[in-house]
Amino acid sequence: MGCFGFDFSNFQSITVFFLLLMLGLSFSPNGCLGIRSFPEERRFIEAPEYRNGVQCPVTAETQDMVHIAMTLDSEYLRGSMAAVHSVLRHSSCPEHIFFHFIAAEFDPSSPRVLTQLVRSIFPSLDFNVYIFREDTVLNLISSSIRHALENPLNYARNYLGDMLDPSVTRVIYLDSDIVLVDDIEKLWKTPLSGSRIIGAPEYCHANFTKYFTDSFWSDPDLPQVFGSRNPCYFNTGVMVMDLQKWREGNYRKKIEKWMELQRQRRIYELGSLPPFLLVFGGLVEPINHRWNQHGLGGDNVMGSCRSLHPGPVSLLHWSGKGKPWARLDEKRPCPLDYLWEPYDLYKPKPKSRPNYQRSKMRLYQYNNLDFSTSNILFGYSNYFI
């Protein structure tokens, strides 16, 4: 087939050219006119098709589905797709999982493009994309110790009760820099006892006072918010949330009040986490630590390598500055980044599908970890086979 040519000295040709551009067409490098495709940084392979096991119900109503909420943006898209892939790969009933993606209204790739991309990677995935209006929270955000923490989309979890349909009464919120190595349904079935609104792994050995400024602790009234509670640090990147109780208690407004105070007085430094600690500290349903092996991205300044916490592992979380896809691309990976690699669906150049055995061996060679006798326990024995 021949190429279309244009004589740009001719007004009619120029008019046709720009009309075609407005219709979404573009020129390929060899001068041929073609349909616009995703740019190089958006090339992903299609994920394998994952089907329900024989033990799964034939059909599932909304209340029977596992509902997962995640943000969706161009900067962390590669991480989000790996996270979704890991959830589906290890789920016993992957067809009974529904994803709720929250995309920023003015994302460089636009919510529509991101929706199309998700559909191209996971053709059978059940999901909705919700547009998050950044001006909802812009006037409430204060500066943080790391610029990435000021992204309005970090605060989208505060508004899940407003954005998701009222029929969705329970949801698992996941950050984009995680991978699961266990069945998500186990986390979904976590009971929230009594009046608990959220469940998350707690870390009571952490120095809770460091999450707030001296001016907060020296104030005669502010620390009294905790009352007789015994608040512990928890990471908001993995939470089981009772949306019905969240809505009834108007917890979005309670979080916003602390954000408003932060704008008037500097009471914390760390982005979207402290308001959650203020509202829920000491009131969290404790979940086994295996469901958030966090901090693998290092601290918020250096992003240095870290090892796993002792004990079994169901979810790996690269919270912190360092992200596995960036370090792998830069040929400076941390040992545990090789555990993320098998779920990566981004392929800028043709290459084979992820080799799980190779990633296991590379990790072993890199850090001399012995999976056969290790105290690093995974949900199944054949994750990397």
Side-chain angles (χ1 to χ4, degrees), residues 98-102 126-130:
F98 197 100
F99 283 88
H100 304 267
F101 294 115
I102 315 300
D126 288 327
F127 71 94
N128 280 337
V129 175
Y130 308 79

Side-chain angles (χ1 to χ4, degrees), residues 72-373:
L72 190 66
D73 69 314
S74 53
E75 183 177 0
Y76 284 88
L77 181 64
R78 187 171 171 185
S80 298
M81 296 301 94
V84 173
H85 186 200
S86 72
V87 170
L88 297 175
R89 174 175 169 78
H90 297 296
S91 172
S92 55
C93 301
E95 294 176 87
H96 292 172
I97 298 176
F98 197 100
F99 283 88
H100 304 267
F101 294 115
I102 315 300
E105 183 178 15
F106 298 111
D107 188 280
S109 294
S110 85
R112 180 182 60 83
V113 171
L114 292 173
T115 301
Q116 293 172 344
L117 186 55
V118 173
R119 178 62 66 204
S120 69
I121 299 170
F122 302 102
S124 301
L125 189 69
D126 288 327
F127 71 94
N128 280 337
V129 175
Y130 308 79
I131 297 178
F132 180 61
R133 292 188 57 181
E134 293 152 297
D135 57 1
T136 302
V137 75
L138 273 176
N139 291 332
L140 296 172
I141 297 176
S142 56
S143 60
S144 182
I145 60 174
R146 183 158 60 90
H147 182 66
L149 299 177
E150 300 170 23
N151 185 335
L153 210 53
N154 290 336
Y155 297 83
R157 72 195 85 180
N158 303 358
Y159 300 90
L160 292 176
D162 301 286
M163 289 187 287
L164 273 56
D165 191 273
S167 63
V168 180
T169 58
R170 185 182 178 94
V171 71
I172 296 174
Y173 176 82
L174 297 176
D175 272 353
S176 298
D177 50 1
I178 64 97
V179 293
L180 269 84
V181 290
D182 206 343
D183 192 340
I184 190 71
E185 190 165 343
K186 297 177 184 177
L187 180 60
W188 177 255
K189 290 181 177 179
T190 300
L192 299 181
S193 58
S195 59
R196 305 294 194 193
I197 312 298
I198 64 173
E202 288 187 302
Y203 303 90
C204 295
H205 64 278
N207 182 3
F208 190 81
T209 60
K210 72 176 184 179
Y211 293 99
F212 303 96
T213 62
D214 291 341
S215 64
F216 173 86
W217 293 113
S218 61
D219 188 279
D221 299 316
L222 292 180
Q224 301 307 313
V225 65
F226 298 114
S228 59
R229 291 187 268 158
N230 183 26
C232 295
Y233 162 75
F234 64 95
N235 181 280
T236 52
V238 180
M239 296 187 293
V240 179
M241 307 175 67
D242 186 324
L243 289 185
Q244 182 172 334
K245 292 178 182 176
W246 178 284
R247 295 174 181 123
E248 291 171 353
N250 200 6
Y251 281 89
R252 184 257 300 168
K253 189 62 179 176
K254 293 178 181 179
I255 289 174
E256 286 180 337
K257 285 183 177 179
W258 284 109
M259 294 175 67
E260 290 168 357
L261 180 61
Q262 164 73 352
R263 294 280 289 183
Q264 301 166 18
R265 303 172 55 184
R266 192 78 175 172
I267 60 174
Y268 56 79
E269 303 287 351
L270 196 62
S272 61
L273 169 64
F276 265 84
L277 297 180
L278 288 162
V279 174
F280 294 108
L283 300 174
V284 174
E285 182 72 34
I287 294 177
N288 193 295
H289 288 180
R290 69 184 301 152
W291 288 105
N292 194 351
Q293 284 272 341
H294 70 290
L296 303 185
D299 58 34
N300 282 302
V301 180
M302 299 299 295
S304 53
C305 296
R306 288 185 177 174
S307 57
L308 290 174
H309 309 298
V313 181
S314 292
L315 184 148
L316 299 154
H317 187 187
W318 279 263
S319 57
K321 184 178 180 181
K323 302 305 173 188
W325 55 90
R327 295 192 296 216
L328 286 163
D329 285 352
E330 293 167 359
K331 310 300 182 185
R332 296 188 296 105
C334 293
L336 293 174
D337 294 344
Y338 289 119
L339 294 180
W340 180 89
E341 188 179 27
Y343 305 99
D344 186 15
L345 295 170
Y346 170 65
K347 296 295 175 285
K349 295 180 180 179
K351 60 191 295 188
S352 60
R353 288 184 180 273
N355 186 318
Y356 294 84
Q357 182 66 24
R358 182 182 64 203
S359 292
K360 171 182 171 180
M361 290 305 299
R362 289 170 71 183
L363 176 63
Y364 173 82
Q365 295 164 358
Y366 200 101
N367 205 34
N368 198 27
L369 291 176
D370 184 356
F371 280 82
S372 60
T373 60

Side-chain angles (χ1 to χ4, degrees), residues 20-34:
L20 288 171
L21 285 181
M22 291 173 65
L23 290 172
L25 302 178
S26 63
F27 285 94
S28 62
N30 62 5
C32 295
L33 189 67

